Amino acid sequence: MSRVRGVSLEAAPDWAIEAKGLVKIFGKHRAVDGVDLTVRRGTVFGFLGPNGAGKTTTIRLLATLLKPDGGSARIFGHDLSKEGDEIRSRISLTGQYASIDEDLTGMENLVMMGRLMGYGRAAAKARAAELLKAFGLQEAAKRQVKNYSGGMRRRIDIAASIVVTPELLFLDEPTAGLDPRSRNQVWDIIRALVGSGTTVLLTTQYLEEADQLADRIAVINQGKIIAEGTSSELKASVGTGTLSLQLVNAEDRPRAVNILEDKLSAAVRLMLDSTSLTAQINDSFLVADALSELARNKIAVSDFSFGRPSLDEVFLTLTGHEAAQEAQSEEGVS
Amino acid sequence: MTGYIEQREKEANELRLNESIASSDRPKPPSAVASTMTFATRALLRIKHVPEQMFDVTVFPVIFLLMFTYLFGGAIAGSTEEYLQFLLPGILVMTVAQITMYTGIDLNNDIRKGIFDRFRTLPIWLPSALIGSLLVDVIRYSMASVIMITLGFALGFRPEGGLMGVLGAIALILVFSFSLSWIWTVCGLIVRSEKALMMISFMVLFPLTFVSNVFVDPRTLPSWLESFVDVNPISILATAVRGAMHGTVTTQQVIWVLIVSVIMTAIFAPITVYLYRNKK
């Protein structure tokens, strides 16, 4: 296990990615607007944000697919703008859409990748067979990829990225659209890769995925990183506790907001659903008082919870809108 | 009990996964020849899996040849057999020139599907991705040529230049088509959709192939049109191919074809490679 943890390495930090002030402009749109990023070797870094936040563009900049319009970056100490070949021999990219030839079989795809990485014919075939077995795709080896299920497609795609295990793997929304079982399989693969020392930079819209996999998380919105830290740091930054309430009647909500703001002396947020609200509070003693005040005012509560904030709430607090809401409306457009 | 078996299975899978990750070594990046051959193999495998794509080099030429021979033969040359001697070399040029545009379409599909991004993050000599598939296209063009000439022969085409003349003519077509393909790779990299690409190719190829000396002797045309036909690269190629097949080709005609080919490659190949590397 070469996963970098603990204090001993703190003195000589070993960065997989160091980016300063990265900018990418498409027309008038600043897709990436001054992104600073440091990712320690051997860790998983999660890029969290809604569609159109700049996640994919940042990955494409770091994978040498796009030239930045400003800023600079080093990948394992190699300058992004000058040492493209050095960088390309260390990284691998699994894009948002299947980056393999769907007309070819799984086997043919992996053999092709092996040959392009520099293996001889026999070695490429052996490696392809080994990977197909490890990824549970042995039976599908001779089928065209276009006949694969979503989960199989994702796996063959990742397998193609690790024909030669890269030092840094970019995964752009690796589990988008997968069922829970396939998603868990992909997570296992990612954990195994990190266990062998690969650094992973993954983007996701799912807060749970970032929570599960990432050592550090950056929340990105409108091309800017608006928060960065471990999952617990991000949660703590929002407050120690979250009170979530669901009312029986939607028309009670304005009155409930007044009462809660008065009793809790904290801002109350309205959720999408017309009967729900949440508030970040630091003093749990106030909660009981606030709830009984609601009861005195005949405001019926159907459900309430008090606990540490979820990443969802972190996102909501940081961006002022819900991640899911944004994601849905974006998907509607595309 | 089942829980136990599942657990063991999961462990075995994890072990395989870890082993497969750990067992990778890092070979030296492939040579330019090796990566070019790999991309050529990919193109051949695509033909194997999607044989429909061979329609353009098999059915197209047959339809074109039959249609134009019997449609125009009587009207233009008095008899179909006589017209065939004039038409076949030209229509061969036209057919192959038209199927070059599929090179651009294939590349455009790669870009939209994402595999293009994967190729670009590999430590390979990038032009090999293009050259590999262009080499296989040359095989496709040869197929189209062989099919057309064979059918022509059955219909009464008698090349006076003999076998050597015919082979020389095919060689000229292949060189020219390889060079012409680079124009479509540039378009394939710029244009957003396959539809737009078809439109552009059609708008370029349609006038270029028809307003040439493929179907008619340019001396029958108004003088302003005749001067365009004379400098049209398709005419230049058709003249040389016709000459080679009938044994009347001049060195000058061959040199002109080579000059046009070199110019097209010299302009569009570097642009293609630049765009390939710097595509947004």
Side-chain angles (χ1 to χ4, degrees), chain B residues 56 60-61 64 90-100 144 148 209:
Chain B
D56 57 345
F60 256 37
F64 269 35
I91 203 146
L92 180 59
V93 166
M94 173 178 139
T95 308
V96 177
Q98 292 202 342
I99 58 185
T100 54
M148 266 184 123
T209 49

Side-chain angles (χ1 to χ4, degrees), chain A residues 26 60 63-67 88-91 93-94 97-101 103-105 108 112-113 115-119 127 130-131 133-135 144 157 160-167 188-189 192-193 196, chain B residues 10 13-14 16-30 34-39 41-42 45-46 48-50 110 112-124 128 277-280:
Chain A
F26 295 124
R60 291 171 61 81
T64 76
L65 289 171
L66 285 177
K67 285 206 169 77
R88 279 188 284 273
S89 70
R90 289 173 167 76
I91 62 166
L93 168 81
T94 303
Y97 308 102
S99 20
I100 33 181
D101 193 328
D103 289 322
L104 265 52
T105 67
E108 287 163 350
M112 172 175 76
M113 288 308 298
R115 298 281 287 146
L116 292 177
M117 295 305 295
Y119 282 118
R127 179 68 180 147
E130 181 183 35
L131 280 171
K133 200 170 175 192
F135 280 63
Q144 281 173 279
D157 211 352
S161 297
I162 64 163
V163 167
V164 168
T165 309
E167 289 173 55
D188 284 342
I189 293 167
L193 275 166
S196 76
Chain B
K10 194 170 186 298
N13 282 341
E14 264 169 31
R16 267 208 296 274
L17 197 59
N18 289 332
E19 268 173 12
S20 72
I21 291 166
S23 70
S24 110
D25 48 352
R26 180 167 294 275
K28 265 204 198 105
S35 55
T36 304
M37 291 324 288
T38 306
F39 283 110
T41 309
R42 173 188 176 221
L45 286 170
R46 289 183 59 85
K48 181 183 140 197
H49 289 297
V50 196
D110 274 359
R112 280 183 297 113
K113 286 192 177 148
I115 194 170
F116 172 79
D117 278 351
R118 188 187 289 288
F119 292 153
R120 288 202 303 157
T121 53
L122 292 174
I124 53 169
S128 63
R277 205 179 285 283
N278 299 293
K279 174 92 184 163
K280 280 178 185 171

